[in-house]
Amino acid sequence: MSVLATIAQATETGALTAAELKNNAAASGAGLAYGLAAIGPGIGIGYLVGQSVQAMARQPEAAGTVRTTMFLGIAFTEALALIGFVVFILLKFA
Amino acid sequence: MDSTLIARDDGPAVEMHIALDLLRRALWVAPVLIVLFGAIWGLPGAASTAYAIVLVVANFLLAAALLSWTARISLSLMMATALFGYLVRLAIIFAAVWIVRDAAWVEIVPLGIAIVVTHLGLLFWEMRYVSATLAFPGLKPATKGS
């Protein structure tokens, strides 16, 4: 049974108040947002590092430059996940 | 064994160099952000901002240390570490915020804003220096104020 169906059933039987229902929906939304926000950067980092390793294999003498750019790229990509995380904590705890 | 699995880079640890540079810049930025957010959200805001800056810098240092260390072992291991390290570091940040979420000295809004602002601000600042260095290797920007 889906989460929504469970919540709907609990509401009908009076097991959940409106405030609890709202809290549950907010928690589900926040968790979903955080999970979705982590997928994109994961794909991005995988692609970025894969291409960097390929570049280092093709041109070992440029490895220092490639690693510098790669590290900054990873950090920038990770910023997307951090933004998702901040949205999550603001929805959940603020 | 396949050579791609044992290929490694014994060059200098550039990631650690960048991360230490970011730490040095964070020491300049931290007082400004702490005072600014402290003026808006009070003492909890200042404490939360300081905590956020520590989290961001620790995240950079951990990422750099892992990548530098594994690059000397194998590029394949570095690739795996980059991906799983990303997940582990996200989990560590999540746990670090989860632990203190109900503490009296924590204000969630400045904590969240400071995490994003510090992370992106430091990166753009560092990128300006790195891109200039890569584009004009003979004309590195002056250290003063960089």
Side-chain angles (χ1 to χ4, degrees), chain A residues 38 41 67 75 78 82 88 93, chain B residues 9 15 59 86 89 94 119:
Chain A
R67 278 171 62 183
E78 205 175 293
L82 281 180
F88 167 75
F93 305 132
Chain B
D9 183 10
E15 294 90 357
N59 184 36
Y86 159 71
R89 282 182 288 111
F94 179 81
H119 189 91

Side-chain angles (χ1 to χ4, degrees), chain A residues 34 38 41-42 45-46 49-50 56 63-65 67-68 70-72 75-76 78-79 81-82 85-86 88-90 93, chain B residues 9 14-15 18 59 64 67 78-79 82-83 86 89 93-94 97-98 101 108-109 112 116 119-120 123 127 130 134:
Chain A
Y34 185 33
I45 289 175
V49 179
M56 281 186 264
T65 309
R67 278 171 62 183
T68 303
M70 181 190 78
F71 183 66
L72 285 176
F76 270 112
E78 205 175 293
L82 281 180
F85 171 67
V86 167
F88 167 75
I89 61 171
L90 290 180
F93 305 132
Chain B
D9 183 10
V14 287
E15 294 90 357
I18 293 173
N59 184 36
L67 288 176
M78 186 190 76
M79 193 169 164
L83 274 174
Y86 159 71
R89 282 182 288 111
I93 292 176
F94 179 81
V97 173
W98 183 268
R101 72 190 191 282
I108 289 295
V109 176
V116 173
H119 189 91
L120 281 176
L123 275 179
M127 189 185 66
V130 168
L134 291 179

Side-chain angles (χ1 to χ4, degrees), chain B residues 75-86:
Chain B
L75 292 182
S76 301
L77 182 63
M78 186 190 76
M79 193 169 164
T81 307
L83 274 174
F84 287 103
Y86 159 71

